[in-house]
Amino acid sequence: MSKKEEEVLRGDKDLERERKANDPMIPDGEVNPINTDYQVGQDNVVMKFGPFGLDFHNRVFAISGLAIVAFVFITLMFQNQAEPVFTSTKDWLTANLDWFFIGAANIFVILCFFLIFSPLGNVRLGGTEASPDFSYLGWFSMLFAAGMGIGLMFYGVSEPITHFSTALGGTETNADGIRTDWAPLGGAGGDEAAAMRLGMAATIFHWALHPWAIYAVLALGLALFSFNKGLPLTIRSIFYPILGERVWGWPGHVIDIVAILATLFGLATSLGLGASQAASGFNFLFGWSEGTTTQVLLVIGITAVALVSVLAGLESGVQRLSQINMTLAAILMLFVIIVGPTVAILTGFVDNLYNYVVNLPALSNPVGREDLNFSQGWTSFYWAWWIAWSPFVGMFIARVSRGRTVREFLISVLLIPSIACVFWMSVFGTAAIEQFLAGAEKVAEVDLSLQLFVMLDGLPWTGITSFVGIILVMVFFITSSDSGSLVIDTISAGGKVEAPVPQRIFWCTFEGLVAIALILGGGLVALQAMAVSAGLPFTLVLLAACVAVIQGLRSEPRVGKTTK
């Protein structure tokens, strides 16, 4: 080969690398793509209005958008009638389908560990020679800020202290012998040490393996069928091994519509919780009213800020805000460790992990439970909420996980964030419980949204740390709304990852409006009811996705294994 030919070849390779870098959907190395005539966006409606444009899937966007608009309108029109409907819906679903939610979550955990230890773990997302697009630090920052930020702030103190106090109170039964207490498992009546062990184990159960397994299953399916199989980045693509070309018809439309509704209502639940906690924080610090008016104004103001972040996009908006927020969260956590019960926190972290593992079989048991208030009122709601969040978090994780092997992906998404959540809960939960044991029982008696600030009130520099806590809640709110808008817009645009800006504005705006409607139509109960209602149909979707993911992985070339 002549020198000139070598230069031409080297130039072609450079162009190819540049082309792949600019389009993450182009595989790097060996893959086994799915041959289909479907083109991304072929069913989309494309319009131009001066400098603005629209590019959305004709059926998915229209049906899901109209459903959301109708829900907001009806809920705001009939606020007084909405609350009992939401209450009865939540109670019926959690009481009658607790076994379904708990059993399904167990399946997701088992599948993840099976893939970690099986040869299928050697499949690389994006092709056998693909490299990661983000560093671990950037990846985890986006993952935490968008995935569980508001929940960790809201429940970091309230859940450990609640489970501890209910376990300490022991069990109570009615005349029919049915337990009426909220203690997990068999409780620990009067035994402070045992109540602390059980309370922390129950808390960690809701924030460790199971929720991250839910996210990991969907994220893996999306990454596999988009980066390796060449299909659009939508939920329906996962089901090609099951539905074939029908996935581009009404069966696929229904899957994507359910995903959009689940995502939006799951997000609205978190945004409502964030508004409630921020309002409580402002009341604690400045004496502002913490009623629905304040919460609605907070939702409006923070949604407006989220719109600015949406316009900046994934790289400039979400990642930058996520990294800032994770830095603030780490500083706050370090402060609690240093000025709080340091030894109890550090030693408790290891003990909490051990107690979680010991109690895991009983806590994850889906049938024959006596602690019905705990398993139905806490666990069922949590699993439905995580499942409702999974399209949003799953697609977000998928978009930033190209280049990882399946094994590396699952270990990172499943185990490392779980340990981080355990540490967070150990820090804030132990600090609150130690204050309770020292006589500051108020931390367990105030509303859930206020318990973080009451705990911080028992430490130095209350005004500063409480204000930082409020900022964290609001920025987590922004990143969740921001990331959710990008994800919903991708699904409603038929898999196009760069849809026009007006569509993102639409979804970001209606995330806030749905949160407002739920706050006015029943508060926390309404938020929980919609999370459970949205999570139910999507649980069926996720269970079917488990089968499709295994089928898709079996056909992929693996790292270190040559194909003929």
Side-chain angles (χ1 to χ4, degrees):
M1 182 181 295
S2 67
K3 184 176 181 181
K4 184 175 182 179
E5 289 174 331
E6 289 180 357
E7 291 176 352
V8 171
L9 181 59
R10 189 179 302 114
D12 290 342
K13 289 181 178 179
D14 290 340
L15 289 173
E16 180 68 12
R17 281 194 294 269
E18 182 179 351
R19 187 171 67 93
K20 290 178 178 180
N22 293 331
D23 188 353
M25 298 304 173
I26 298 176
D28 192 358
E30 293 183 73
V31 293
N32 185 23
I34 290 175
N35 294 319
T36 176
D37 294 331
Y38 184 84
Q39 299 294 319
V40 177
Q42 72 175 37
D43 296 324
N44 284 17
V45 174
V46 181
M47 301 179 182
K48 289 289 288 184
F49 300 96
F52 304 106
L54 295 175
D55 189 349
F56 57 84
H57 192 282
N58 55 359
R59 294 175 177 84
V60 173
F61 181 90
I63 295 174
S64 56
L66 288 174
I68 295 300
V69 172
F71 173 84
V72 170
F73 177 78
I74 293 172
T75 304
L76 292 177
M77 286 290 294
F78 302 98
Q79 294 177 27
N80 295 331
Q81 294 83 356
E83 184 172 0
V85 172
F86 288 134
T87 301
S88 60
T89 299
K90 172 183 175 292
D91 292 344
W92 189 91
L93 288 173
T94 55
N96 291 278
L97 295 175
D98 56 327
W99 60 271
F100 176 67
F101 288 121
I102 296 174
N106 291 341
I107 291 174
F108 302 140
V109 174
I110 293 170
L111 174 63
C112 287
F113 277 103
F114 165 75
L115 293 177
I116 287 173
F117 292 104
S118 77
L120 298 178
N122 293 325
V123 173
R124 188 178 295 278
L125 302 175
T128 54
E129 298 179 11
S131 58
D133 295 330
F134 296 93
S135 67
Y136 276 115
L137 179 60
W139 188 26
F140 289 143
S141 296
M142 290 188 285
L143 183 67
F144 279 105
M148 286 190 170
I150 291 177
L152 286 173
M153 292 299 298
F154 191 91
Y155 288 108
V157 169
S158 62
E159 190 170 353
I161 194 67
T162 298
H163 295 329
F164 162 77
S165 60
T166 55
L168 185 64
T171 60
E172 299 175 2
T173 57
N174 59 19
D176 298 324
I178 299 174
R179 281 178 55 176
T180 57
D181 62 273
W182 284 76
L185 300 181
D191 188 335
E192 293 177 348
M196 187 170 185
R197 290 194 296 268
L198 182 57
M200 290 305 302
T203 299
I204 292 168
F205 172 60
H206 292 147
W207 292 88
L209 291 179
H210 284 75
W212 290 101
I214 292 168
Y215 295 159
V217 168
L218 190 63
L220 176 59
L222 286 166
L224 174 68
F225 285 93
S226 297
F227 299 143
N228 294 60
K229 303 296 186 182
L231 301 183
L233 189 62
T234 60
I235 309 299
R236 72 172 74 198
S237 295
I238 300 174
F239 296 88
Y240 193 94
I242 299 174
L243 297 174
E245 288 295 317
R246 289 178 297 165
V247 80
W248 313 124
W250 274 107
H253 300 342
V254 171
I255 290 170
D256 280 350
I257 290 169
V258 169
I260 288 174
L261 297 179
T263 302
L264 199 140
F265 285 118
L267 274 169
T269 300
S270 296
L271 302 184
L273 292 176
S276 172
Q277 189 172 33
S280 294
F282 282 120
N283 174 264
F284 180 78
L285 281 180
F286 308 115
W288 297 1
S289 169
E290 56 180 328
T292 55
T293 301
T294 301
Q295 294 179 36
V296 168
L297 291 175
L298 281 170
V299 172
I300 293 173
I302 298 173
T303 299
V305 178
L307 283 171
V308 177
S309 182
V310 163
L311 299 179
L314 178 64
E315 296 284 349
S316 301
V318 181
Q319 183 172 209
R320 188 173 301 166
L321 279 175
S322 299
Q323 291 174 343
I324 292 172
N325 222 31
M326 290 311 300
T327 301
L328 281 176
I331 292 172
L332 180 63
M333 183 173 64
L334 185 62
F335 172 81
V336 175
I337 294 173
I338 294 173
V339 305
T342 307
V343 176
I345 288 172
L346 297 179
T347 58
F349 169 67
V350 178
D351 292 339
N352 293 337
L353 272 176
Y354 172 77
N355 292 316
Y356 162 62
V357 174
V358 169
N359 288 282
L360 181 59
L363 289 169
S364 58
N365 175 29
V367 295
R369 299 287 289 266
E370 294 183 358
D371 55 342
L372 294 180
N373 281 336
F374 172 80
S375 62
Q376 295 175 358
W378 281 96
T379 305
S380 292
F381 160 68
Y382 263 129
W383 290 177
W385 187 20
W386 299 149
I387 290 168
W389 261 66
S390 64
F392 150 50
V393 182
M395 184 172 291
F396 193 74
I397 294 173
R399 287 185 65 177
V400 297
S401 299
R402 185 181 184 275
R404 313 283 179 183
T405 65
V406 169
R407 182 173 295 109
E408 178 189 10
F409 172 87
L410 290 174
I411 291 174
S412 298
V413 175
L414 191 65
L415 298 182
I416 296 176
S418 293
I419 293 173
C421 286
V422 173
F423 191 69
W424 178 277
M425 290 296 182
S426 295
V427 171
F428 287 87
T430 301
I433 292 173
E434 290 291 332
Q435 288 180 4
F436 180 93
L437 294 176
E441 297 182 0
K442 181 182 178 182
V443 70
E445 297 170 353
V446 297
D447 291 340
L448 296 181
S449 60
L450 193 57
Q451 287 176 326
L452 169 66
F453 303 105
V454 173
M455 186 276 289
L456 292 174
D457 191 36
L459 303 175
W461 302 347
T462 303
I464 297 175
T465 56
S466 296
F467 187 72
V468 170
I470 295 172
I471 296 299
L472 279 169
V473 171
M474 293 194 296
V475 180
F476 275 132
F477 188 141
I478 294 169
T479 54
S480 296
S481 180
D482 188 337
S483 307
S485 301
L486 291 171
V487 167
I488 293 174
D489 194 29
T490 299
I491 301 173
S492 65
K496 287 191 173 182
V497 295
E498 294 295 337
V501 170
Q503 293 168 210
R504 300 182 193 177
I505 294 174
F506 172 84
W507 290 116
C508 186
T509 301
F510 269 88
E511 285 164 19
L513 288 175
V514 169
I516 290 172
L518 291 173
I519 289 171
L520 296 175
L524 180 60
V525 172
L527 293 166
Q528 293 175 333
M530 289 314 301
V532 175
S533 301
L536 175 61
F538 204 74
T539 304
L540 298 171
V541 173
L542 269 184
L543 289 171
C546 293
V547 178
V549 166
I550 293 176
Q551 292 183 9
L553 287 173
R554 290 176 62 187
S555 65
E556 277 297 300
R558 303 164 197 170
V559 176
K561 181 179 179 180
T562 58
T563 58
K564 295 181 179 181

